[in-house]
Amino acid sequence: MSVRLTVAQALVRFLAAQHTARDGVRRRLITATWGIFGHGNVAGVGQALVEYPGLMPFHQGRNEQAMVHAAVGYARQSRRLQAHAVTTSIGPGATNLVTGAALATVNRLPVLLLPGDTFATRPADPVLQQLEVPYAGEVSVNDCLRPVSRYFDRITRPEALIPAALAAVRVLTDPAETGAVTLALPQDVQAEAYDWPEEFLAERTWTVRRPRPDRDELDAAVRAVADAERPLIVAGGGVKYSGAEDALRTLAERAGLPVATTQAGKGVLPYSHPCEVGGIGHTGTATANELARASDLIIGVGTRHTDFTTASGTLFHPEARFLNLNITGFDAHKQAALPLVADAREGLTALTEALAVRPRRDPAPWAESKRAWQARTDAAYTPDSEDARPTQAQVLGALDTLVTGDDILINAAGSLPGDLHKLWRARSADQYHVEYGYSCMGYEIPAALGVALAAPGRPVWALVGDGTYLMNPTEIVTAVQEGLPIKVVVLQNHGYASIGGLSEAVGAERFGTDYRLRAPDGRFTGPPLPIDLAANAASLGMRVLRPHTMRDLREALADAREATVPTCVYVETETADSVSGPPPAQAWWDVPVAETSTRPSAAWAREEYDRHVTARRRHL
């Protein structure tokens, strides 16, 4: 039996029938579609969504990149077991997907991209918004999505949708392969009818597998842990996606192992747990980094060992060995590690069982260091006066006194990720949502929408600086339209604070990082620009609160937390130059400095660079 439908109609029907299953729980895979319509998708996917309004919920976006960010936020909050689709028109709508697709793939998060494409039949050539490539007639702008997609296909014939759609869902539901998946849809093919086998449109369930460790790899891992005198666990996002927090806690408690966390892994143990020692690497705590420098075995669990985690290869002891538990062999072999290729929960459970007879290690050696770091955090959080203008760290401190484990904090770029990784006291496994694989400015507000859709009823906070806000505030309109009561905290410091500090450190003298009027000599040394981001947020439909002092801020945050409409808390922050800020970086990060320069600041920065770079080592 067959059903005659257009390609777009069949695709919507197919997606609505796909489910995931893990640990006996079945979920719908694609729960909604985001879209902005143009001539490349309005008569195809757009018409199909109208045809089947009960099958596929729809969210109207304002920026294509932002729609992908919203979908990524949803997928991360759903622990990669559910996802959203994103449809765009041909041309600029499609190319606007590239940044979001890269973010999804870098962070190993599933999102389905459905960009319109040029005519497969080429009745007119070129058509509106078509990229002409003299040497390759089949190339379109959608080919820009190939390197940032885990799977890419162009559907030039109706029947080609069947294998392509199945392959797309296979990748979306594969924990080792997932990321952005792109099905480019020529606008004429979208509207073409075909007789679809009923089996293609039937309900289908995809098991999200939990591979168990190989016995030989497990035996080697057990020997490495048993022989180590000072082991350290580095937990990454893979622990969360596996739902392995309890398994990690059990191993850490039974063996007395300290647990440091990457940005993606922060929260896998609550900050109050004795084995939790805070963030690791360039933005980490002194406690975690001191342990890393002394450890003889680094047990990476679900981490990619990025340069921020390893302090650009300068953090760990020269003779340290690595054991990497990861669901992908690619990541498990990094740092010349002993690989343990497995699902995080299954691998941790197997390790714990095999180590059951080993003596428990005492967490006391790092307890005092952890208490000292909490004291430094308290100092950064505490203002001298409730009538003073808050610093950025003090804004976090005010939020810290207010939230519970239900609250979810979202951030991605600027100086906030460093402050949050060092200072934030995560109370639940999914409270801390910092996208630092791609560290994309403009991620926070749209991601908050996706998180709010995945976790209805929970307070969702998007923390942004003024630079990030200006990158991508458009989905505020979507939040207002859909009644999603996200809370946006805008920290106004009149420029790119993070990159400004880095610029100063590498001898570039904060060039091009201030939001200031241009002086007669051409330098940006005038007063701050006369912009009002709070008024901008209000003009997009948000309720806006403008606290001026710490006392005002506490009241505003409490008000926003209880709000049932999208609410912005706009804070003009004090600079770290005049008041105590957060502790400085506890480990190095490699940003090359000019080898030659006539400017003293650059020459000094190069001397510092040469001093640090000598500590870099390859673990072979």
Side-chain angles (χ1 to χ4, degrees), residues 34 36 61-71 96-97 99-101 103 410 412-413 435 440-449 462-479 486 488 490 496 515 533 536-537 540 542:
W34 291 82
I36 296 176
R62 270 73 193 176
N63 174 280
E64 291 86 359
Q65 176 182 320
M67 293 193 299
V68 186
H69 292 337
N96 279 351
L97 295 173
T99 297
L103 181 146
I410 302 171
E435 185 285 299
C440 185
M441 295 178 71
Y443 170 82
E444 296 89 343
I445 294 173
L449 272 62
L463 309 181
V464 300
D466 50 307
T468 291
Y469 178 89
L470 286 168
M471 282 277 182
N472 202 4
T474 54
E475 298 315 305
I476 286 174
V477 178
T478 305
I486 63 171
V488 178
V490 179
Y496 299 121
Y515 288 167
L533 300 184
N536 177 264
L540 297 177
M542 283 201 109

Side-chain angles (χ1 to χ4, degrees), residues 5 11 86 137 181 196 481 515 520 561:
L5 303 167
L11 179 58
V86 177
V181 168
W196 302 94
Q481 183 179 39
Y515 288 167
R561 189 174 187 273

Side-chain angles (χ1 to χ4, degrees), residues 298 305 321-324 331-339 619:
I298 310 301
H305 289 298
R321 297 188 68 197
F322 288 77
L323 165 63
N324 288 339
D331 289 316
H333 283 83
K334 288 178 178 176
Q335 303 292 101
L338 282 172
H619 295 276

Side-chain angles (χ1 to χ4, degrees), residues 232-382:
L232 168 69
I233 294 175
V234 176
V239 177
K240 294 184 180 181
Y241 302 141
S242 171
E245 294 89 349
D246 288 344
L248 176 66
R249 179 186 295 107
T250 299
L251 174 62
E253 289 176 350
R254 290 187 181 177
L257 299 177
V259 178
T261 54
T262 68
Q263 288 278 16
K266 190 175 175 74
V268 292
L269 293 182
Y271 80 96
S272 57
H273 192 282
C275 293
E276 200 273 347
V277 295
I280 194 168
H282 177 64
T283 54
T285 67
T287 305
N289 288 343
E290 287 165 3
L291 287 166
R293 293 183 179 103
S295 293
D296 57 349
L297 179 68
I298 310 301
I299 307 169
V301 185
T303 178
R304 299 185 298 126
H305 289 298
T306 66
D307 62 340
F308 260 61
T309 299
T310 68
S312 299
T314 65
L315 181 59
F316 302 109
H317 191 278
E319 297 181 5
R321 297 188 68 197
F322 288 77
L323 165 63
N324 288 339
L325 166 55
N326 205 289
I327 201 165
T328 71
F330 174 76
D331 289 316
H333 283 83
K334 288 178 178 176
Q335 303 292 101
L338 282 172
L340 187 59
V341 181
D343 169 77
R345 193 189 73 179
E346 295 300 312
L348 288 167
T349 300
L351 264 179
T352 302
E353 292 173 351
L355 290 165
V357 298
R358 306 297 174 184
R360 175 189 172 102
R361 292 180 174 87
D362 183 5
W366 60 81
E368 181 55 39
S369 176
K370 184 175 175 179
R371 282 192 292 271
W373 187 261
Q374 291 301 322
R376 295 181 73 176
T377 299
D378 290 337
Y381 278 176
T382 305

Side-chain angles (χ1 to χ4, degrees), residues 390-431:
T391 65
Q392 179 168 287
Q394 289 162 5
V395 173
L396 299 182
L399 201 55
D400 177 77
T401 63
L402 178 69
V403 302
T404 69
D406 284 342
D407 295 71
I408 303 169
L409 273 65
I410 302 171
N411 184 243
S415 55
L416 274 166
D419 289 357
L420 286 164
H421 200 207
K422 285 196 289 274
L423 304 177
W424 187 256
R425 296 160 172 164
R427 292 158 172 81
S428 60
D430 64 351
Q431 179 180 79

Side-chain angles (χ1 to χ4, degrees), residues 75-273:
R76 176 169 171 168
Q77 186 63 30
S78 302
R79 300 197 180 205
R80 306 196 300 196
L81 298 172
Q82 296 182 291
H84 282 167
V86 177
T87 179
T88 72
S89 182
I90 188 176
T95 52
N96 279 351
L97 295 173
V98 173
T99 297
L103 181 146
T105 296
V106 166
N107 286 282
R108 321 287 171 82
L109 291 164
V111 60
L112 177 61
L113 308 180
L114 305 173
D117 212 327
T118 53
F119 284 79
T121 54
R122 305 185 192 178
D125 196 25
V127 297
L128 178 64
Q129 298 179 326
Q130 178 179 338
L131 173 70
E132 293 186 87
V133 181
Y135 61 84
E138 85 282 7
V139 171
S140 79
V141 294
N142 285 334
D143 289 275
C144 294
L145 288 160
R146 288 181 183 269
V148 293
S149 298
R150 295 295 287 174
Y151 179 81
F152 178 98
D153 204 347
R154 180 177 283 110
I155 313 304
T156 57
R157 292 282 303 162
E159 57 267 37
L161 178 65
I162 295 175
L166 292 169
V169 176
R170 175 188 61 78
V171 173
L172 288 170
T173 57
D174 187 333
E177 294 294 327
T178 195
V181 168
T182 300
L183 295 180
L185 303 172
Q187 56 180 313
D188 52 346
V189 176
Q190 288 181 51
E192 189 173 344
Y194 182 74
D195 294 324
W196 302 94
E198 287 187 345
E199 295 86 352
F200 175 63
L201 305 175
E203 295 272 324
R204 192 182 302 262
T205 300
W206 302 75
T207 298
V208 180
R209 66 180 66 90
R210 287 190 180 278
R212 295 178 179 177
D214 174 82
R215 172 51 59 182
D216 289 341
E217 288 188 351
L218 179 61
D219 289 345
V222 170
R223 288 194 297 271
V225 177
D227 292 343
E229 295 182 3
R230 300 174 304 280
L232 168 69
I233 294 175
V234 176
V239 177
K240 294 184 180 181
Y241 302 141
S242 171
E245 294 89 349
D246 288 344
L248 176 66
R249 179 186 295 107
T250 299
L251 174 62
E253 289 176 350
R254 290 187 181 177
L257 299 177
V259 178
T261 54
T262 68
Q263 288 278 16
K266 190 175 175 74
V268 292
L269 293 182
Y271 80 96
S272 57
H273 192 282

Side-chain angles (χ1 to χ4, degrees), residues 452 458-460 479 483-487 560 563-567:
R458 295 179 62 178
V460 178
L484 296 172
I486 63 171
K487 299 91 173 61
T564 58
V565 297
T567 301

